[in-house]
Amino acid sequence: MKAIRRFTVRTVLPEQLQPLHELALNLRWSWHPETRDLFRSVDPEVWAATGEDPVRLLGEVPAARLAALAADRRFLRRLGDLADDLREYLAGPRWYQTAERAAGAAQPAAVAYFSPEYGIAAALPQYSGGLGILAGDHLKAASDLGVPIIGVGLFYRHGYFRQSLDRDGWQQERYPLLDPDELAVTLLRESDGTPCRVDLALPGGRTLAAHVWRAQVGRVPLLLLDSDIEANTPAEREVTDRLYGGGSEHRLLQEMLLGIGGVRAVRSYCRLTGHPAPEVFHTNEGHAGFLGVERIRELIADGAAGPGLDFAAALEAVRAGTLFTTHTPVPAGIDRFDRDLVARHFGGDAALPGVPVDQVLALGAESWRGGDPKLFNMAAMGLRLAQRANGVSTLHGEVSRSMFNGLWPGFDPAEVPITSVTNGVHAATWIDPAVVRLGAAEIGAERAESAMTTGDAQRWTGLEKIANTDIWELRRTLRSQLVDEARSRLRASWRQRGAGEAELGWVASALDPDVLTIGFARRVPSYKRLTLMLRDHDRLRALLLHPTRPVQIVVAGKAHPADDGGKRLIQQMVAFADDPAVRHRIVFLPDYDMAMARHLYPGCDVWLNNPLRPLEACGTSGMKAALNGCLNLSVLDGWWDEWYDGQNGWAIPTADEAGGVLDPDSGEAERRDDIEAAALYDLIEHQVAARFYDRGADGLPHRWIAMVRHTLVTLGPKVLAGRMVREYVDRLYTPAALAQRELAAEDHAGARELAGWKARVREAWPAVRVEHVEAECPDEAQELGSSLALRVQVALGTLEPGDVEVQAVSGRVDESDGISDARVLALKPVGGPDLDGRTRYEGSLELSRTGPFGYTVRVLPAHPRLASPAELGLVALPAESTGMDAGLLR
């Protein structure tokens, strides 16, 4: 019999224990060990049974136990101290407040951070993988640093799926219903107590309404929009039913609610709480891109009682304060919708007032060569609506500049205005407490906490003094914890698959706390190559069963429910791991989530990552492992390409290095995988395992321990989310806030002026030409250190010299005269226009390099409010017919 209505009956806490509610409803407990220990002490059995969730714990702990705790003076002292500690954490000044005083209030008053998913804690399952975990770590680090961020997302009633396996190893999905009353969230309410509501107009006179749940992530509020409310029809109620589910229109509605509804939720939250209004809006991937369209509507509507902004000026004002972060390295990873579908949801009775549908469609148009005019591209819209953009590692920045080069025609990929901020991970979430204790014993608890929070490399000095015996003992302890956890999960998985208890005696000897342990856990798209290690079964068995240097592997991962190819990869892995000959050395653990990861990262000796390069945007799982002294074994992709130094792990050679770049979609794919799998086996056998089992007279692997120590000291501060967030503040948030203020001043006079200037330049640009270039050079061959006197004649049409910059671009040239490693020299106007309307520019080009050398000349729009010379995507080059492409010096 099924209930017609569900609700939660909560325990009434004794007055002395009321601070437990305060601690439970702030998700700081998820990364604060002392608070977690307090909740564990309330009732260890219930704590474990509720998945270490304080809210559920307080709902299920027996009343008699609560009465006993209310009379326990020692417990009450601990509770009082931790409640005071939380209040001090929430109110006291932190890094941002100190930096703000030093910067003279240049930093933004607040930042709104939008993401489709958030991995804060296993108890709030609103994430599917790396994007959500990164977003969660971003908020936690911002909280620790005192950065005034407001997080915005959706509340998924079923979250992401839970994974199990059937008897044949095929992935099974289930979607447990999440009850907000059982989670660490509270409903945002109006001053009269009614739920705060956000409404979006839909085609056909329909309305999509949502309530707003607030999760408190330390100092950071996270607003989650929920469409499962009685005001909606059944179809609209299901918009936020699950993460990344449904068809194209379902996804579009989710992204409209996230972007448009998210902005409205932020406005309501600031109105109701007095929180400073955001000056910067950060779009974490393209899913929230419609937030820019809503902010344009706001600026147009604000002028309803007076002179408002037109679309062009509103666009400039919005762009100045918007940051777009891309996480995908392949076009296939971008959300694209049918153009007609978008038009229907932004036109007619669903239109945003003052925002023409054709302008919305232009924002997402694939206008570049090879683009599909029938599709609306969310990443293209995100980039057009943001004056600043970044990838998530240095290599991914390069990939992104190439991938989106079409939005800036006429510019080389290196000049595309997409920078990079390498991702980081939240130390307090991912470092095992035993690692923290070991570090604190050497450098002090206060310094250790500061080191984990800020990513200040100087505060990590001193860890190099930790004794070899202490490091090795720690590593074995962590490995033992993983073995115990893996056996428990392995037994539960086999029982779910139908095995009887009598069949599972072998589980007690699965894995060994003294054997080299390799971890591999992530989502299972094809490019991450879960089964690369299975290319040669005999070779892998030999590694696992080596008589003196055995290896054991712990594997986990989820395939998207619609990805049968990924499910087949999991099935292949499970089939191999089920073999009685090797199942004590290799295990697949289903239902990979944050709870499993807390054991997996610290317990592994080596973290394996073998994606197709360069398809791993960052790969933060290896960072979490490194924080615990785990060494990385990875293809040089993502962050590992940036920070691998030969002493912190191993780089897997790629087939590209073996003889040219191989097309992953060509028939060479099999050859590529064979080459890279063979390289992987060789590395494990001859370097990784050899070093792990190379013991000194005292039984310690001294060279291995040296690598662990080096990893902790050198990678520790680099991989932190604290370092990442500080980079965002200094390099992107603060410049965006300053640009936004400049354009908003005096009733957005700056935005109006910039929009007008851009329109004038675009209209006049077809008449801009480089008409003549000459260089004064006495000899054809030039000597290093000499210079060329350049004179250039430029036709500007109706533009003034102040509207443009004329540049000489020089550098090394290849066989096709392409310029690389370019340097730019701004040429100066000399006199006014001649009788033909041409302006002369001159400059001296220094010859600072030997070998093949070349130059060209170009004209770019120039304005002090442009964030990049390429911002407009306009450039005038010498006409090819004049033979003035580039001057060559050899």
Side-chain angles (χ1 to χ4, degrees):
M1 187 177 298
K2 188 175 182 180
I4 63 171
R5 187 176 178 186
R6 173 193 174 103
F7 55 89
T8 297
V9 180
R10 283 184 169 170
T11 302
V12 178
L13 291 177
E15 183 178 353
Q16 302 93 320
L17 300 182
Q18 285 300 316
L20 284 172
H21 270 314
E22 182 182 353
L23 294 174
L25 288 177
N26 191 308
L27 287 159
R28 186 199 181 211
W29 62 258
S30 67
W31 73 88
H32 193 247
E34 293 83 356
T35 304
R36 292 173 60 82
D37 288 344
L38 177 79
F39 282 119
R40 182 179 294 106
S41 70
V42 168
D43 191 316
E45 290 186 4
V46 176
W47 174 251
T50 57
E52 301 187 354
D53 180 346
V55 175
R56 291 180 58 199
L57 168 76
L58 297 181
E60 298 184 22
V61 66
R65 176 58 180 165
L66 292 176
L69 290 173
D72 186 334
R73 289 182 295 175
R74 180 177 298 179
F75 180 85
L76 294 178
R77 280 197 300 271
R78 288 178 64 197
L79 175 59
D81 289 344
L82 286 170
D84 289 342
D85 179 74
L86 176 61
R87 295 179 193 122
E88 181 181 350
Y89 172 87
L90 296 177
R94 304 190 74 80
W95 169 84
Y96 191 84
Q97 288 67 42
T98 302
E100 187 176 35
R101 288 195 297 271
Q107 295 170 330
V111 175
Y113 180 91
F114 286 63
S115 178
E117 54 175 297
Y118 288 91
I120 308 294
L124 187 64
Q126 301 288 302
Y127 62 94
S128 70
L131 180 69
I133 299 299
L134 180 278
D137 283 5
H138 194 107
L139 297 195
K140 295 176 195 175
S143 174
D144 289 343
L145 293 169
V147 181
I149 280 183
I150 301 172
V152 184
L154 300 179
F155 181 81
Y156 304 99
R157 288 285 177 154
H158 292 89
Y160 201 52
F161 71 90
R162 303 296 302 272
Q163 177 198 47
S164 60
L165 302 173
D166 67 12
R167 189 77 183 187
D168 297 323
W170 188 257
Q171 173 178 292
Q172 305 292 302
E173 301 97 22
R174 64 188 189 282
Y175 291 86
L177 179 65
L178 300 178
D179 182 353
D181 291 333
E182 295 179 348
L183 302 174
V185 295
T186 56
L187 199 60
L188 183 65
R189 295 183 179 275
E190 298 289 346
S191 55
D192 62 1
T194 59
C196 176
R197 178 172 146 176
V198 169
D199 288 352
L200 272 68
L202 298 181
R206 295 176 296 131
T207 298
L208 172 60
H211 287 166
V212 182
W213 295 98
R214 170 184 171 181
Q216 195 62 36
V217 186
R219 298 166 69 115
V220 173
L222 171 58
L223 309 179
L224 302 171
L225 284 82
D226 178 11
S227 72
D228 187 15
I229 62 175
E230 293 182 1
N232 285 326
T233 66
E236 277 75 54
R237 292 188 73 155
E238 292 181 357
V239 167
T240 56
D241 62 343
R242 62 189 60 182
L243 186 58
Y244 302 141
S248 184
E249 184 168 14
H250 184 270
R251 289 287 297 274
L252 177 63
L253 290 174
Q254 283 190 337
E255 299 187 9
M256 289 175 60
L257 183 60
L258 175 60
I260 300 171
V263 172
R264 296 176 184 178
V266 168
R267 302 306 187 203
S268 295
Y269 177 77
C270 293
R271 170 176 55 82
L272 293 169
T273 65
H275 193 289
E279 295 183 281
V280 176
F281 285 74
H282 184 174
T283 307
N284 190 40
E285 235 343 311
H287 308 83
F290 289 119
L291 71 85
V293 179
E294 167 64 9
R295 291 172 59 217
I296 289 172
R297 182 204 63 79
E298 288 181 327
L299 291 171
I300 294 173
D302 282 348
L309 298 185
D310 61 15
F311 184 92
L315 173 61
E316 296 306 326
V318 165
R319 291 185 73 252
T322 302
L323 167 65
F324 175 74
T325 297
T326 175
H327 290 261
T328 180
V330 290
I334 297 169
D335 276 351
R336 303 159 81 204
F337 297 105
D338 185 276
R339 180 183 171 92
D340 291 340
L341 177 66
V342 177
R344 185 159 56 87
H345 282 81
F346 283 89
D349 56 357
L352 293 174
V355 182
V357 65
D358 60 322
Q359 296 280 20
V360 176
L361 295 175
L363 290 171
E366 294 191 353
S367 55
W368 52 87
R369 182 181 300 175
D372 189 336
K374 296 180 180 179
L375 294 180
F376 184 94
N377 187 302
M378 293 296 290
M381 178 177 67
L383 289 165
R384 288 183 173 121
L385 283 170
Q387 194 175 47
R388 289 163 180 82
N390 71 284
V392 291
S393 68
T394 299
L395 179 60
H396 180 238
E398 296 175 9
V399 171
S400 298
R401 288 188 286 275
S402 295
M403 186 166 72
F404 296 113
N405 197 179
L407 284 168
W408 290 271
F411 290 88
D412 291 338
E415 297 179 295
V416 168
I418 300 176
T419 184
S420 62
V421 175
T422 301
N423 281 345
V425 298
H426 185 245
T429 296
W430 301 110
I431 295 184
D432 190 273
V435 181
V436 177
R437 288 193 295 270
L438 181 61
E442 190 63 47
I443 64 176
E446 184 176 344
R447 187 175 170 194
E449 181 181 357
S450 176
M452 292 193 302
T453 299
T454 65
D456 183 349
Q458 292 184 343
R459 295 189 176 273
W460 289 72
T461 58
L463 295 178
E464 67 276 4
K465 299 177 183 177
I466 300 175
N468 284 359
T469 52
D470 292 338
I471 291 178
W472 191 238
E473 183 177 334
L474 169 70
R475 292 301 315 149
R476 191 188 190 280
T477 298
L478 298 176
R479 203 181 305 117
S480 297
Q481 291 176 1
L482 172 59
V483 168
D484 291 343
E485 178 73 9
R487 288 173 180 172
S488 174
R489 289 177 176 270
L490 194 61
R491 180 179 297 277
S493 174
W494 274 85
R495 291 301 302 269
Q496 284 184 319
R497 295 174 66 187
E501 194 62 37
E503 302 175 69
L504 299 179
W506 63 272
V507 172
S509 59
L511 306 182
D512 185 327
D514 291 310
V515 167
L516 170 64
T517 303
I518 298 175
F520 184 102
R522 50 193 34 87
R523 291 184 301 111
V524 190
S526 59
Y527 79 88
K528 290 182 182 285
R529 297 193 295 183
L530 169 72
T531 57
L532 185 70
M533 67 181 78
L534 301 182
R535 296 295 293 182
D536 186 335
H537 284 200
D538 292 339
R539 188 83 186 271
L540 179 57
R541 285 193 190 94
L543 292 172
L544 297 172
L545 304 175
H546 194 283
T548 58
R549 299 198 303 269
V551 172
Q552 59 192 14
I553 305 176
V554 181
V555 184
K558 291 180 176 179
H560 188 280
D563 181 10
D564 283 350
K567 293 180 184 180
R568 279 191 290 272
L569 295 178
I570 290 175
Q571 188 176 45
Q572 293 169 24
M573 176 60 67
V574 172
F576 182 87
D578 281 354
D579 183 349
V582 296
R583 64 188 180 187
H584 63 299
R585 286 283 187 260
I586 182 169
V587 297
F588 180 89
L589 304 180
D591 209 24
Y592 177 47
D593 64 359
M594 292 182 72
M596 181 193 296
R598 282 181 176 273
H599 296 276
L600 193 52
Y601 297 132
C604 290
D605 299 294
V606 174
W607 195 256
L608 175 62
N609 190 26
N610 46 232
L612 288 173
R613 188 182 192 272
L615 302 186
E616 185 80 276
C618 186
T620 53
S621 62
M623 294 179 169
K624 299 169 191 134
L627 277 176
N628 291 280
C630 177
L631 305 180
N632 275 268
L633 171 62
S634 176
V635 167
L636 287 176
D637 202 1
W639 75 274
W640 191 236
D641 179 75
E642 195 170 334
W643 290 331
Y644 166 68
D645 66 6
Q647 300 178 61
N648 51 17
W650 294 268
I652 302 172
T654 63
D656 296 347
E657 299 167 13
V661 177
L662 301 181
D663 181 356
D665 297 322
S666 73
E668 295 291 313
E670 292 293 316
R671 173 173 166 259
R672 174 207 60 216
D673 285 355
D674 285 340
I675 291 172
E676 296 182 11
L680 174 61
Y681 299 138
D682 286 343
L683 273 174
I684 293 174
E685 180 178 5
H686 301 299
Q687 296 189 42
V688 181
R691 181 159 296 191
F692 182 86
Y693 290 105
D694 178 19
R695 308 295 167 90
D698 55 2
L700 300 180
H702 292 276
R703 292 196 300 159
W704 185 278
I705 293 171
M707 293 179 72
V708 171
R709 183 185 290 108
H710 176 77
T711 293
L712 291 171
V713 173
T714 61
L715 277 183
K718 292 180 179 178
V719 302
L720 293 187
R723 183 271 312 154
M724 172 190 71
V725 172
R726 287 193 296 118
E727 281 195 48
Y728 274 112
V729 169
D730 294 339
R731 294 176 46 204
L732 295 167
Y733 291 166
T734 298
L738 293 173
Q740 187 273 337
R741 291 171 196 165
E742 187 176 356
L743 293 194
E746 300 180 11
D747 191 26
H748 290 92
R752 299 175 200 271
E753 186 277 330
L754 181 58
W757 176 84
K758 284 188 174 182
R760 181 167 59 85
V761 169
R762 289 190 178 103
E763 183 179 1
W765 200 256
V768 176
R769 297 186 301 276
V770 177
E771 295 200 338
H772 181 70
V773 178
E774 62 181 62
E776 187 178 287
C777 49
D779 301 304
E780 185 174 334
Q782 300 296 304
E783 292 184 353
L784 181 67
S786 60
S787 61
L788 292 179
L790 294 180
R791 289 187 292 274
V792 182
Q793 298 285 349
V794 177
L796 296 178
T798 59
L799 298 181
E800 300 292 331
D803 293 324
V804 302
E805 180 170 283
V806 179
Q807 299 175 342
V809 182
S810 63
R812 300 185 186 279
V813 290
D814 56 24
E815 294 180 355
S816 60
D817 293 343
I819 297 175
S820 62
D821 195 16
R823 295 183 181 179
V824 173
L825 170 68
L827 305 179
K828 303 297 183 183
V830 179
D834 61 17
L835 294 177
D836 296 322
R838 301 179 302 180
T839 301
R840 189 173 72 180
Y841 286 78
E842 294 183 355
S844 181
L845 181 62
E846 294 186 6
L847 307 182
S848 57
R849 308 176 189 184
T850 58
F853 185 91
Y855 70 89
T856 189
V857 174
R858 66 183 180 182
V859 186
L860 303 176
H863 192 285
R865 292 192 174 107
L866 297 182
S868 162
E871 186 169 315
L872 274 74
L874 298 176
V875 58
L877 296 166
E880 291 184 359
S881 59
T882 65
M884 295 183 296
D885 301 334
L888 276 226
L889 302 170
R890 299 184 183 273

